[in-house]
């Protein structure tokens, strides 16, 4: 049976249609506290419209930095940054037209000038006299009075204007009196941390470095704290205390000299060592563990033996942790309990320069590592509160560089205020180290020999220059640059300066002396006499001292009769090769005085090749008559032939003999 349905050989093609995807359904994010939501909220607040106190609206598109960026320490600014920060503090608008050249003229010399040289004694004393005249002009910014009814914008406006006026006063002081200031803190947010600490604390402890207490002490900070006591309100009495940290680096005579100066100035002070205190805590923990393990064989040594308990003079004794806590309690004012704040506790604030040991002192008081510690200045970014006891709170303020009169920029680097890793000029601070630390002690610490030039040859003759020390240290350690292989002086300078800041190369500034009713600084020679006790065999590192004692036995020198300054030239240890009397003077006989082999030579590789090739060391001149009286005859044509004939005869005789 046939079907009537016909099948088409060419069916019609269907039209192409775009595939339908899923509908764009926007799902609501249920996570309201996630990272994305937080970023979106922060961006929405950046361009928020703010209403000023006078009713005007302010809209800004400036990017707001986070809190850790705001609290960055700014001690030095160029002209453009200073101009912009001043305009921001003054809340002024400015515009610049394209095509016009704008010159920024710096007013006032607020940045210190880098000097490649060192000041002489007369220049130092003259500058000191000038600084004492304007010492009362070195102030710190005060927080203007505020009330609870004021808005946040009004308080910030007052603080900005007060901070701007303070910076202008310092600029006019330097401009009108031809003075130099050290780099000081220029970030208002950091000063606000200090204001909070001073306002809330009952006892403000100013921590200074024992090696130079006057440099780190701010007199105006004590006046600022005393200014809160004008109302004679017993509930708001505040007191000051000067904590001389790192006192273990000073000898007893040096502590006595500084104690006499503090007593004459009526300064409330105390000697303390955070490093020794932390060492005591570690030793006590180790002994406690040993006692638990071996109760019957417990250690008889006490941790208190690390501190000199035989000291009877309380004014020069280094306090222990318990004694320092008791001193804080005794020095703090007695306040009455306020009914409005019944849970009020005693608060103690620690203030000072960067890298003076504030965080280490807190760790010693707390008894455990609660605050991060770093050798780099500016580790603490904002003030922290820690409970010392249930009734006492410690406040750690970030390190502040107070304005101070400047001598040289090298002084700030050597005092640990400016970071060494960010150092650009390494010659001035190294020259200051060479001037303060004796040459024989530098050689003993690093195990090198430092050949110095005499005064006639352009050197100091008394102590090495910065380049002589850096060259000797770098070549002895193998710190060379690429290319021609010169000594890497910047790298060597960083190691030496860090040793100086950490106390491996120790120098203590002497206190001023009262002469004819005026306090005067000691000159360089008397300052060296003040530190003479620190440069002995006992103050060397343990490994280096053992090397020197082994070298003394090889030379049959007794330890009792050994003088490090006079007898170090007789010893051979590490890379130091003594040469008897020659090593103490200039570079005479330098061929036998080089340390560390050929790499330690001060000459370049090209000079060594020339000396070896031309045999310069074996040249001896023998002249019967003076050279200017000898007659020199030029060779003639016959002489040339005669020489040629003699050469042929010599060649013929050699051939026959062979």
């Amino acid at each position: 049976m046939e079907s009537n349905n016909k099948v088409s050989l060419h069916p019609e093609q269907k039209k192409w249609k775009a595939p339908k995807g899923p509908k764009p359904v926007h799902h609501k994010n249920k996570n309201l506290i996630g990272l994305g939501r937080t970023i979106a909220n922060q961006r929405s607040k950046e361009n928020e419209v703010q209403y000023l106190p006078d009713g005007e609206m302010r809209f800004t598109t400036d990017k707001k930095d986070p809190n850790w960026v705001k609290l960055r320490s700014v001690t030095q600014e160029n002209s453009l940054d200073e101009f912009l920060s001043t305009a921001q503090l003054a809340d002024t608008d400015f515009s610049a037209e394209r095509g016009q050249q704008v010159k920024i003229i710096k007013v006032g010399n607020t940045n210190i000038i880098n000097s490649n040289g060192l000041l002489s004694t007369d220049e130092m004393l003259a500058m000191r006299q000038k600084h004492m005249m304007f010492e009362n002009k070195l102030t710190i910014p005060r927080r203007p009075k505020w009330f609870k009814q004021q808005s946040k914008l009004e308080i910030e406006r007052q603080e900005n204007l007060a901070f701007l006026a303070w910076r202008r006063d310092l600029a006019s002081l330097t401009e009108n009196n031809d003075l130099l200031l050290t780099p000081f803190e220029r970030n208002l947010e950091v000063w606000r941390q200090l204001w909070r600490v001073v306002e809330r604390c009952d006892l403000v402890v100013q921590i200074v470095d024992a090696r130079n207490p006057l440099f780190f002490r701010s007199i105006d900070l004590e006046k600022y704290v005393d200014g809160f006591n004008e109302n004679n309100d017993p509930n708001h009495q505040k007191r000051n205390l000067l904590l001389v940290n790192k006192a273990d680096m000073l000898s007893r005579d040096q502590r006595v000299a500084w104690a006499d100066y503090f007593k004459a100035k009526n300064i409330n002070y105390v000697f303390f060592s955070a490093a020794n205190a932390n060492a005591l805590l570690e030793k006590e923990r180790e002994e406690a563990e040993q006692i638990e393990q071996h109760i019957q064989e417990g250690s008889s040594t006490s941790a208190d033996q690390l501190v000199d308990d035989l000291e009877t003079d309380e004014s020069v004794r280094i306090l222990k942790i318990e004694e320092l806590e008791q001193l804080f309690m005794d020095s703090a004012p007695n306040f009455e309990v306020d009914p409005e704040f019944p849970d009020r506790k005693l608060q103690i604030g620690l203030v000072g320069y960067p890298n003076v040991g504030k965080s280490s002192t807190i760790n010693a008081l707390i008894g455990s590592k609660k605050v991060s510690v770093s050798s780099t200045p500016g580790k603490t970014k904002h003030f922290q509160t820690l409970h010392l006891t249930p009734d006492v709170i410690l406040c750690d303020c970030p390190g502040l560089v107070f304005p101070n009169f400047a001598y040289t920029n090298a002084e700030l680097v050597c005092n640990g205020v400016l970071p060494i890793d960010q150092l650009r000029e390494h010659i001035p601070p190294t020259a200051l180290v060479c001037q303060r630390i004796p040459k024989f002690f530098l050689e003993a610490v690093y195990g090198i020999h430092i050949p110095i030039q005499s005064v006639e040859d352009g050197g100091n003759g008394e102590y090495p220059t910065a380049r002589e020390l850096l060259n000797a240290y770098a070549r002895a350690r193998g710190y060379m640059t690429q290319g021609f292989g010169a000594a890497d002086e910047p790298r060597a300078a960083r190691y030496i300066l860090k040793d100086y800041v950490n106390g491996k190369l120790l120098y203590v500034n002497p206190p001023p002396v009262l002469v004819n009713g005026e306090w005067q600084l000691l000159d360089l020679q008397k300052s060296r006499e003040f530190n003479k006790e620190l440069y002995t065999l006992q103050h060397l590192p343990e490994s280096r001292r053992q090397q020197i004692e082994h070298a003394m036995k090889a030379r049959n020198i007794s330890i009792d009769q050994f003088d490090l300054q006079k007898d170090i030239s007789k010893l051979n240890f590490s890379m130091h090769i003594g040469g008897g009397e020659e090593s103490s003077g200039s570079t005479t006989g330098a061929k036998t005085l080089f340390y560390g082999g050929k790499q330690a030579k001060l000459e370049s590789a090209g000079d060594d090749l020339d000396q070896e090739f031309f045999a310069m060391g074996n040249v001896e001149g023998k002249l019967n008559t003076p050279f200017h009286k000898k007659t020199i005859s030029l060779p003639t044509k016959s002489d040339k032939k005669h020489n040629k004939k003699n050469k042929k005869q010599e060649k013929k005789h050699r051939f026959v003999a062979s």
Side-chain angles (χ1 to χ4, degrees):
M1 185 175 178
E2 296 181 358
S3 175
N4 294 331
N5 295 333
K6 294 182 180 180
V7 179
S8 176
L9 298 177
H10 301 284
E12 294 182 2
Q13 296 181 356
K14 295 182 179 180
K15 293 183 179 180
W16 181 85
K17 294 182 179 180
K20 295 181 179 180
K23 294 182 180 180
V25 180
H26 298 284
H27 298 281
K28 186 177 181 181
N29 187 8
K30 297 181 180 180
N31 187 7
L32 302 179
I33 57 173
L35 178 61
R37 180 69 61 178
T38 304
I39 296 176
N41 293 337
Q42 290 293 334
R43 289 182 177 178
S44 63
K45 292 180 181 179
E46 286 181 359
N47 301 331
E48 188 179 8
V49 178
Q50 297 180 356
Y51 292 92
L52 299 179
D54 53 1
E56 295 183 358
M57 291 187 301
R58 183 175 65 179
F59 174 76
T60 179
T61 57
D62 295 338
K63 182 180 179 181
K64 295 184 179 181
D65 296 325
N67 293 331
W68 67 270
V69 178
K70 293 180 181 179
L71 290 173
R72 285 182 302 182
S73 178
V74 180
T75 55
Q76 288 181 325
E77 291 179 331
N78 54 24
S79 301
L80 180 60
D81 292 338
E82 187 174 356
F83 170 74
L84 294 177
S85 61
T86 303
Q88 184 178 6
L89 289 173
D91 200 10
T92 56
D93 298 332
F94 59 92
S95 60
E97 297 181 3
R98 182 177 297 180
Q100 292 186 357
Q101 294 183 356
V102 180
K103 293 183 179 180
I104 299 176
I105 302 175
K106 186 174 180 61
V107 179
N109 193 3
T110 56
N111 282 339
I112 188 169
I113 299 176
N114 290 330
S115 174
N116 289 332
L118 297 175
L119 296 178
S120 62
T121 304
D122 297 336
E123 293 174 346
M124 184 77 72
L125 295 177
M127 191 173 292
R128 175 61 181 168
Q129 294 294 333
K130 192 174 184 180
H131 290 172
M132 292 176 64
M133 294 174 57
F134 301 96
E135 194 173 11
N136 57 346
K137 301 292 184 181
L138 287 177
T139 60
I140 63 174
R142 303 295 204 272
R143 185 180 186 182
K145 294 183 179 180
W146 57 278
F147 306 97
K148 294 182 179 180
Q149 294 77 15
Q150 289 180 311
S151 63
K152 179 181 178 182
L153 293 176
E154 290 178 348
I155 295 177
E156 289 182 353
R157 177 67 175 170
Q158 288 182 357
E159 293 177 354
N160 291 340
L161 293 178
F163 187 70
L164 180 61
W166 172 70
R167 291 188 58 171
R168 287 175 175 172
D169 291 341
L170 291 181
S172 62
L173 174 66
T174 56
E175 181 184 6
N176 299 332
N177 302 293
D178 192 20
L179 294 171
L180 288 176
L181 287 181
T182 60
F184 56 91
E185 186 59 55
R186 288 171 167 81
N187 189 1
L188 178 58
E189 293 294 334
V190 183
W191 287 106
R192 282 173 175 156
Q193 304 296 317
L194 175 67
W195 294 342
R196 294 178 184 177
V197 171
V198 174
E199 286 180 355
R200 66 183 296 174
C201 291
D202 304 297
L203 175 65
V204 178
V205 181
Q206 190 174 174
I207 302 179
V208 297
D209 196 324
R211 291 172 290 182
N212 195 356
L214 296 184
F215 178 85
F216 295 97
R217 176 177 175 245
S218 176
I219 302 176
D220 193 63
L221 177 61
E222 299 177 359
K223 296 180 181 178
Y224 180 46
V225 174
D226 293 335
F228 287 88
N229 302 332
E230 295 178 355
N231 299 328
N232 294 325
D233 188 359
N235 295 330
H236 297 86
Q237 290 285 338
K238 298 181 183 294
R239 294 182 182 178
N240 290 290
L241 177 63
L242 188 69
L243 180 66
V244 185
N245 194 23
K246 304 178 184 179
D248 58 312
M249 297 184 180
L250 277 64
S251 63
R252 188 186 183 281
D253 294 338
Q254 291 174 341
R255 294 201 303 269
V256 169
W258 275 109
D260 294 341
Y261 174 77
F262 292 144
K263 292 177 183 177
K265 286 287 188 175
N266 295 324
I267 299 174
N268 188 16
Y269 73 97
V270 62
F271 288 110
F272 185 68
S273 174
N276 274 4
N278 289 318
L280 289 173
L281 291 175
E282 292 295 332
K283 190 174 181 62
E284 287 177 356
R285 291 196 190 100
E286 292 177 0
E287 290 182 356
E289 294 177 358
Q290 292 177 1
I291 291 173
E292 291 178 359
Q293 295 177 1
H294 309 284
I295 299 177
Q296 296 180 356
E297 301 177 358
S299 176
S300 60
T301 59
S302 175
D304 298 336
Q305 292 178 359
L306 293 178
V307 183
D308 188 8
D309 291 333
L310 300 178
E311 182 64 53
T312 57
D313 193 355
E314 294 293 335
S315 61
V316 298
R317 194 164 64 88
I318 301 176
L319 298 186
K320 294 181 289 187
I321 302 174
E322 298 81 6
E323 296 172 342
L324 182 63
E325 292 180 2
Q326 187 62 37
L327 180 66
F328 284 169
M329 302 297 180
D330 298 338
S331 301
N334 297 323
F335 57 88
E336 298 179 0
V337 179
D338 193 353
E340 186 177 358
F341 302 100
D343 297 335
R344 185 177 183 272
K345 301 178 181 180
L346 177 64
Q347 301 187 27
I348 300 174
L350 303 180
V351 185
Y353 273 76
N355 204 19
V356 295
K358 297 185 298 298
S359 300
S360 301
T361 303
I362 288 182
N363 292 334
L365 291 172
I366 298 297
S368 62
K369 189 175 177 59
K370 295 290 185 181
V371 183
S372 58
V373 180
S374 175
S375 60
T376 304
K379 178 66 176 176
T380 305
K381 296 300 182 184
H382 54 84
F383 85 96
Q384 308 173 50
T385 57
L386 296 168
H387 288 270
L388 179 61
T389 62
D391 298 329
V392 179
I393 296 178
L394 292 178
C395 297
D396 184 15
C397 180
L400 269 166
V401 181
F402 297 95
N404 199 353
F405 289 122
Y407 294 104
T408 58
N409 198 19
E411 188 103 12
L412 292 172
V413 178
C414 293
N415 286 327
V417 175
L418 298 181
I420 297 176
D421 294 329
Q422 303 175 9
L423 186 63
R424 295 181 181 178
E425 294 289 336
H426 60 278
I427 294 297
T430 310
L432 191 61
V433 173
C434 295
Q435 190 182 60
R436 292 177 173 179
I437 308 299
K439 172 180 174 291
F440 70 91
F441 194 75
L442 290 172
E443 293 179 346
V445 169
Y446 295 122
I448 59 177
H449 171 70
I450 309 174
I452 61 175
Q453 294 181 345
S454 60
V455 180
E456 293 80 7
D457 296 335
N460 292 323
E462 186 178 0
Y463 52 87
T465 61
R467 293 194 177 276
E468 289 172 347
L469 172 60
L470 295 178
N471 208 330
Y473 181 87
R475 292 184 179 275
R477 298 294 188 271
Y479 300 154
M480 313 297 289
T481 59
Q482 295 181 354
F484 293 101
D488 194 352
E489 295 182 356
R491 183 182 179 186
R494 287 194 295 269
Y495 282 102
I496 294 175
L497 292 175
K498 286 183 179 180
D499 289 341
Y500 184 87
V501 172
N502 296 332
K504 186 177 180 180
L505 301 176
L506 189 55
Y507 177 82
V508 179
N509 287 267
V513 180
L514 189 62
V515 179
N516 297 328
E518 294 183 358
W519 294 96
Q520 297 181 1
L521 295 177
L522 299 181
D523 55 4
L524 180 60
Q525 190 64 30
K526 294 182 180 178
S527 298
R528 289 181 177 178
E529 291 292 332
F530 185 74
N531 292 274
K532 190 175 181 180
E533 300 178 5
L534 302 177
Y535 307 127
T536 58
L537 184 64
Q538 288 72 24
H539 287 82
L540 291 175
E542 183 67 25
S543 59
R544 191 68 68 195
R545 185 166 65 249
Q546 292 178 0
Q547 290 181 357
I548 294 179
E549 291 177 356
H550 182 73
M552 291 164 54
K553 294 179 181 179
R555 291 294 182 96
N556 295 325
I557 301 176
S558 62
I559 299 179
D560 298 335
Q561 299 178 356
F562 180 77
D563 188 357
L564 187 62
Q565 181 177 2
K566 298 178 181 178
D567 300 334
I568 191 175
S569 59
K570 304 176 183 178
L571 303 179
N572 298 342
F573 61 94
S574 184
M575 296 182 182
H576 180 276
I577 300 177
E581 299 295 333
E582 295 178 350
S583 62
S584 60
S586 62
T587 56
T588 58
K591 187 175 181 181
T592 61
L593 294 180
F594 286 133
Y595 46 87
K598 291 184 178 181
Q599 191 181 17
K601 289 189 177 181
L602 297 179
E603 288 84 9
S604 63
D607 295 337
D608 293 341
L609 291 176
D610 292 342
Q611 291 181 3
E612 184 179 357
F613 181 78
F614 294 104
M616 292 182 176
N618 299 327
V619 175
E620 296 181 359
K622 295 181 179 179
L623 298 176
N624 295 327
T625 58
F627 67 94
H628 64 279
K629 292 184 179 181
K630 293 182 66 175
T631 57
I632 302 175
S633 59
L634 297 176
T636 59
K637 192 174 182 180
S638 59
D639 294 335
K640 291 182 179 180
K641 291 182 179 180
H642 183 69
N643 292 335
K644 188 175 181 179
K645 186 177 180 181
N646 292 338
K647 289 180 180 179
K648 288 183 179 180
Q649 290 181 357
E650 291 178 359
K651 188 176 181 180
K652 185 177 180 180
H653 288 304
R654 291 176 184 173
F655 180 75
V656 174
S658 61

